[in-house]
Amino acid sequence: MTPLDVMWIGLGGGLGSLLRWRIGAIVGEHYHGDFPLGTFLINVTGAFVIAYLAILFGVDWRDRFGSALNAGVLTGVLGGYTTFSSMQLDAAKLADAGKGWLATIYLLVSTSAGLAAAVFGAWLAVLQD
């Protein structure tokens, strides 16, 4: 990995984080329910795009940092965009608020939908290959 790769990862990560923040803010302006919809949508769309681009870029999961494009887009932008830690925090807050059932559903649905989105993204990319 070169200093230029590191720069692209940093710039991409910043862009992805800003995108995550903006989408979260937009969802928060329109949705006020208990389910953490913003984090859910961000993670599911991120899983789809990461899988889709990984197939299009021909990325081997063991070497996804191999080029500036892979590192900058997959690790940088999409790594900054998706947020596993926020998903865990959302679930913990729900559980602390006495909504353990919703926290459990949220984690199960988030994981299942993320996996389904990734499979669909990969499948779609394979169709275009």
Side-chain angles (χ1 to χ4, degrees), residues 9-25 42 75-83:
I9 292 168
L11 290 173
L15 178 64
S17 294
L18 287 171
L19 185 59
R20 178 179 72 222
W21 168 78
R22 186 63 187 135
I23 289 173
I42 288 163
T75 302
V77 174
L78 294 168
Y81 175 69
T82 58
T83 175

Side-chain angles (χ1 to χ4, degrees), residues 64-125:
R64 65 183 178 275
F65 312 107
S67 73
L69 181 63
N70 293 348
V73 174
L74 297 177
T75 302
V77 174
L78 294 168
Y81 175 69
T82 58
T83 175
F84 183 80
S85 57
S86 290
M87 181 178 75
Q88 302 306 310
L89 179 61
D90 290 341
K93 286 181 178 180
L94 286 169
D96 285 346
K99 298 177 182 171
W101 60 273
L102 185 56
T104 301
I105 290 170
Y106 171 58
L107 291 172
L108 290 172
V109 169
S110 291
T111 304
S112 300
L115 180 59
V119 168
F120 181 64
W123 174 78
L124 204 60

Side-chain angles (χ1 to χ4, degrees), residues 58-67 70:
V59 175
D60 182 330
W61 68 269
R62 293 166 290 227
D63 186 31
R64 65 183 178 275
F65 312 107
S67 73
N70 293 348

